[in-house]
Amino acid sequence: MKASALRVPTMNGIIHRLVSLVGHIGDDGSASPFDAISKLSETVGAQHFPLMLPLFLPSKDIRDAFLSIDTILRVHMLAAEADMWLTGISDLAADSPLAKDRFLTRDQIFELNRLKAVGEIGGWTFDSGGQLTEGGTNLRVTSVAPQIGVAKPRICVASGMRKVRPLIAALRGRIINGVITDEGTARQLLEHGVK
């Protein structure tokens, strides 16, 4: 997503608002290197609303307390009302981005696999039918929850064979309703009957 934001030309987007779906703070309090929305906001001149939280908090109770803060509630509300979402997607293999970037431990990845999770969007995990996983890290994730089955564009930017299984699940479960991808990935999705 950040690489995509870097390719956007300068424009006047003053009438638009950009809202983060995912937290921008590392577990150690540092700024996230994955923050695409700040760069995009600078480029297009749009007001932006960052989600000033880590992706995961230590417990459900702590997560719920943070999500009840007025400014955090406002960002979640603005995201829920957004005309369009752009998001990424990942698998949940031992070498997945969440594992490589140390958002999740190996044991947490194994627990998600035990819960039959096949992918994640914004840290929210889901199974092969596109249903959000009950338990696991979904109890502690701070990002904006997917809006299942909405008519507004919920577009996933993803390509490559590792993304096919999570994309199929997310499309079937209507977590997303559109994909920006390459030809090879699109062919795989069509071969699996996803339209």
Side-chain angles (χ1 to χ4, degrees), residues 21-22 51 55-56 63-64 67 76 85 88-90 92 98 104 112 117-127 131-148 170 175:
L21 300 174
V22 180
L51 186 56
L55 182 58
F56 300 106
R63 188 272 308 263
D64 292 347
L67 293 186
H76 274 251
W85 287 10
I89 195 168
S90 177
L92 292 168
L98 286 180
L104 295 178
L112 290 171
V118 300
E120 63 84 20
I121 288 178
W124 286 92
T125 62
F126 51 89
D127 64 22
Q131 301 299 306
L132 295 180
T133 309
E134 291 193 26
T137 54
N138 281 357
L139 298 175
R140 303 183 295 108
V141 66
T142 63
S143 56
V144 178
Q147 297 176 316
I148 311 299
I175 294 172

Side-chain angles (χ1 to χ4, degrees), residues 116-192:
K116 309 235 183 284
V118 300
E120 63 84 20
I121 288 178
W124 286 92
T125 62
F126 51 89
D127 64 22
S128 61
Q131 301 299 306
L132 295 180
T133 309
E134 291 193 26
T137 54
N138 281 357
L139 298 175
R140 303 183 295 108
V141 66
T142 63
S143 56
V144 178
Q147 297 176 316
I148 311 299
V150 298
K152 293 178 181 178
R154 300 298 184 242
I155 310 298
C156 185
V157 180
S159 65
M161 291 306 298
R162 290 183 69 154
K163 307 292 177 116
V164 171
R165 186 174 182 213
L167 281 170
I168 291 169
L171 286 163
R172 286 188 175 152
R174 302 195 60 203
I175 294 172
I176 58 173
N177 54 25
V179 179
I180 298 173
T181 191
D182 61 8
E183 183 178 350
T185 306
R187 286 183 183 279
Q188 287 294 315
L189 295 175
L190 292 172
E191 285 178 17
H192 284 88

Side-chain angles (χ1 to χ4, degrees), residues 58-80:
S59 72
K60 180 184 184 306
D61 290 342
I62 294 172
R63 188 272 308 263
D64 292 347
F66 272 89
L67 293 186
S68 70
I69 297 169
D70 286 345
T71 53
I72 302 299
L73 282 170
R74 175 137 174 84
V75 172
H76 274 251
M77 182 193 71
L78 288 170

Side-chain angles (χ1 to χ4, degrees), residues 25-48:
I25 298 176
D27 289 340
D28 62 357
S30 64
S32 170
F34 306 106
D35 177 15
I37 197 167
S38 294
K39 176 59 183 165
L40 185 59
S41 172
E42 291 171 18
T43 303
V44 302
Q47 184 179 21
H48 77 286

